[in-house]
Amino acid sequence: MRLRDTSEGELLARIFPIYAGSGHVDEASVPVGPGDDAAVVGAPGGTVVATTDSMVRGLDWRDDWSSAHDVGVKLAAQNLADIAAMGAEPTALLVSLAADPDLQVSWAEDLARGIASLASRAGAPVVGGDLSGAPAGVVVVSVTALGDLRGRAPVRRCGARPGDVIAVCGSLGLSGGGLALLHRGEGTLSDAVWDEPGCSDGGGRGSDAGSSRSAAVRELVTYHRAPVPPWQAGPRAGACGARALIDVSDGLVTDLTRIARASEVGIDLDGTVLRERFAAGSLTVALGEREAWHQVLTGGEEHSLVGAFAGEASLPPDTDRPWVVIGRVLPLGSGGPHLTVDGEVPGDAKGWDHFAR
Amino acid sequence: MRLRDTSEGELLARIFPIYAGSGHVDEASVPVGPGDDAAVVGAPGGTVVATTDSMVRGLDWRDDWSSAHDVGVKLAAQNLADIAAMGAEPTALLVSLAADPDLQVSWAEDLARGIASLASRAGAPVVGGDLSGAPAGVVVVSVTALGDLRGRAPVRRCGARPGDVIAVCGSLGLSGGGLALLHRGEGTLSDAVWDEPGCSDGGGRGSDAGSSRSAAVRELVTYHRAPVPPWQAGPRAGACGARALIDVSDGLVTDLTRIARASEVGIDLDGTVLRERFAAGSLTVALGEREAWHQVLTGGEEHSLVGAFAGEASLPPDTDRPWVVIGRVLPLGSGGPHLTVDGEVPGDAKGWDHFAR
């Protein structure tokens, strides 16, 4: 069944229960949920953190690379990461879908299930949204995420100071590596790599097959399709006094340069740690050493958190997804550079731009 | 210059000042504006009201009917109306643009100016957003609006009670009437109607030419392109104890039926008042009596506010855009009907559906 075969009301009647089933919502957290002119969401800290991100079929995903569920997970994840990068806890999501009426209703339902799965894990229910038609072939999905700081100050990009350590929570380069593989035709939804043993967990991560190249390909592509960044680490970092935070959306070098510019400091990264802790393993197995290193520095859409802390003792004691020190903050020399790796300006580190392709 | 000729950073550098110029923003209202991972907006009432709406080129507007500025005004207006319909004051907007890289940069700037003009009037600055590429020809704009209830309870759709009066603030049928004219080829951007005398105010509303058909056409089409609904009336209605509120987005009959269903009541509208106060005048001059009446009952995208009040004495004393009593709330007979006009079920009152066209 396609969207044009149903009415807006019938479609909402299918999608509301998917979101409603994504977790317990109490009256204080969400006084008014979907179905009225607007939602009302608790803002106990007296402010609300808000961000929005969109995904466009054919540009931000390809249907032969990503399922609707993947798209939902990814879009929710990147919005949750932006909330986390302010040091805030997510409280609610709003979802807009503009779609060709020829789109399958089941696609819209799977999209909702993907969003709902992360909404449930994050404790941030879907409280509203919008449905629109769109020209033939077009599907655009937008999510707005709201968050609460619990009365703490937001963690800006501008707070890093010389002497701080730079630390990352989560992976680097997996999403960019997965994208590079998909561009080569590896790991697409029809690829036999998904039929191999050890794949039942969806990515082979940590399985016995982890040392094989197929498992590495699956791990990278799975992360690219449906990243699950450590958004829980954001408010914990804020509570521990993080000086600056950002999520890795356009590549480590690009995003840390944003912190360095906003803070008017220099940042020097430790190439040895980055190679040993992030480039080695699946990235190198799947892509080779040179491309793995490139992805660690420049791979976008990872949505891990990276930031500046007053010292190693200030790092949040997160045993599940530990913070790894990858560099330090320096005084900015006249004219820069803002970012170096082992004291050198990285040569091949262009970030992502949405229009200049 | 087209989007593809600029970088995302350069485009943001053009658009940020347009939004920044839309009004004074103090630190308490917006602790963190655009440029970080997420914005932080004041929520003094301890909750945040949130809604989102999108517009799609070719479906929600046509470039030969609406300028980019019109699209910006309209999208901001419909979001502000949703905030108002909860009884809340708007506090901030977020804007997402997904566009063909061939789009003119000047179009994106005019869109921002349109949004900024309403943001300024509403005291709800643009605090964040997102830019994405899109397939050839595609432009999708999404706005999320946030609002604050100042500690009051939200005005739901479900609070109408038998004995209440139904009142509307703002116009009815103008937008739907304007759309009907545009579909007939009248009032398009190239139409000579815009060259006539008395048109310098953009719509001829209230001018000496107001009695002519051209002026009526201009008034309807101008309202359709860039409605300015009375969002200030929403929080005033909430403060006066409005029982239920909704904005007229899908047509008076459809939207009041939503209040009637949610409140489990019947609503009877006064056909004489509706004809004399809303259908007469420009609507009838431009469209004739029969079509004018149809548009009053079914015209969408008007974004006026309509709701239930305990009695005429409860109506907000708004002299600028007064509330007009158009009906009353009745006990619901078994099996309905939920909505009648002079006791009869209106025959020809289908609302708007985004997929079934």
Side-chain angles (χ1 to χ4, degrees), chain B residues 72-165:
Chain B
V73 168
K74 184 165 187 161
L75 186 53
Q78 63 198 40
N79 275 282
L80 292 168
D82 279 329
I83 296 294
M86 300 304 288
E89 293 174 25
T91 53
L93 305 177
L94 295 97
V95 182
S96 287
L97 172 64
D100 178 357
D102 267 344
L103 187 74
Q104 295 289 342
V105 168
S106 60
W107 197 96
E109 290 173 320
D110 284 345
L111 173 79
R113 286 188 195 102
I115 294 171
S117 71
L118 258 71
S120 171
R121 290 173 67 166
V126 174
V127 298
D130 183 53
L131 288 169
S132 303
V138 172
V139 181
V140 178
V141 196
S142 298
V143 165
T144 297
L146 306 179
D148 192 82
L149 286 160
R150 311 289 168 190
R152 291 189 305 269
V155 185
R156 306 286 308 267
R157 296 178 178 178
C158 52
R161 298 181 216 166
D164 288 354
V165 298

Side-chain angles (χ1 to χ4, degrees), chain A residues 164-185:
Chain A
D164 288 355
V165 298
I166 297 292
V168 64
C169 181
S171 52
L172 291 172
L174 295 186
S175 180
L179 180 62
L181 290 165
L182 287 164
H183 274 298
R184 294 183 207 162

Side-chain angles (χ1 to χ4, degrees), chain A residues 8 39 41 43 46 48 50 144 353-354, chain B residues 8 39 41 43 46 48 50 53 144 353-354:
Chain A
E8 194 175 346
V41 178
V48 59
T144 296
D353 192 289
H354 281 94
Chain B
E8 195 174 344
V41 178
V48 58
D53 252 322
T144 297
D353 192 289
H354 282 94

Side-chain angles (χ1 to χ4, degrees), chain A residues 8 35-41 43 46-51 53-54 56 86 130 133 138 144 156-157 245-247 353-354, chain B residues 8 35-41 43 46-51 53-54 56 86 130 133 138 144 156-157 245-247 353-354:
Chain A
E8 194 175 346
D36 216 304
D37 295 278
V40 183
V41 178
T47 62
V48 59
V49 181
T51 184
D53 252 321
S54 303
V56 181
M86 300 303 288
D130 183 55
V138 173
T144 296
R156 307 286 306 268
R157 295 179 179 178
L245 272 182
I246 196 168
D247 81 295
D353 192 289
H354 281 94
Chain B
E8 195 174 344
D36 216 303
D37 294 278
V40 184
V41 178
T47 61
V48 58
V49 181
T51 184
D53 252 322
S54 303
V56 181
M86 300 304 288
D130 183 53
V138 172
T144 297
R156 306 286 308 267
R157 296 178 178 178
L245 273 181
I246 195 167
D247 81 294
D353 192 289
H354 282 94

Side-chain angles (χ1 to χ4, degrees), chain A residues 64-272:
Chain A
D64 53 337
W65 292 358
S66 297
S67 69
H69 194 279
D70 291 336
V71 172
V73 168
K74 184 165 187 161
L75 186 54
Q78 63 198 40
N79 275 283
L80 291 169
D82 279 329
I83 296 294
M86 300 303 288
E89 292 173 26
T91 53
L93 304 177
L94 294 97
V95 182
S96 286
L97 173 64
D100 178 357
D102 268 344
L103 187 75
Q104 295 288 342
V105 168
S106 60
W107 197 97
E109 291 173 320
D110 284 344
L111 173 79
R113 286 189 195 100
I115 295 171
S117 71
L118 257 71
S120 171
R121 290 174 66 167
V126 174
V127 298
D130 183 55
L131 287 170
S132 301
V138 173
V139 182
V140 178
V141 197
S142 299
V143 164
T144 296
L146 305 179
D148 192 80
L149 286 160
R150 308 292 168 191
R152 290 190 304 271
V155 186
R156 307 286 306 268
R157 295 179 179 178
C158 53
R161 298 182 216 165
D164 288 355
V165 298
I166 297 292
V168 64
C169 181
S171 52
L172 291 172
L174 295 186
S175 180
L179 180 62
L181 290 165
L182 287 164
H183 274 298
R184 294 183 207 162
E186 291 193 76
T188 63
L189 291 178
S190 59
D191 191 339
V193 74
W194 301 107
D195 303 328
E196 291 183 26
C199 188
S200 59
D201 62 345
R205 197 170 189 173
S207 72
D208 290 337
S211 60
S212 79
R213 183 159 185 283
S214 290
V217 168
R218 289 198 299 263
E219 182 181 344
L220 270 55
V221 171
T222 297
Y223 193 90
H224 174 76
R225 288 164 51 187
V228 183
W231 65 76
Q232 302 88 338
R236 289 182 204 157
C240 289
R243 304 274 186 102
L245 272 182
I246 196 168
D247 81 295
V248 181
S249 53
D250 296 331
L252 182 68
V253 166
T254 297
D255 290 313
L256 275 180
T257 299
R258 290 182 172 136
I259 283 186
R261 284 183 190 277
S263 302
E264 298 178 359
V265 296
I267 290 175
D268 185 52
L269 298 181
D270 183 331
T272 305

Side-chain angles (χ1 to χ4, degrees), chain A residues 6-19:
Chain A
T6 182
S7 72
E8 194 175 346
E10 287 163 358
L11 186 60
L12 290 175
R14 285 168 172 269
I15 288 177
F16 275 1
I18 295 172
Y19 290 135

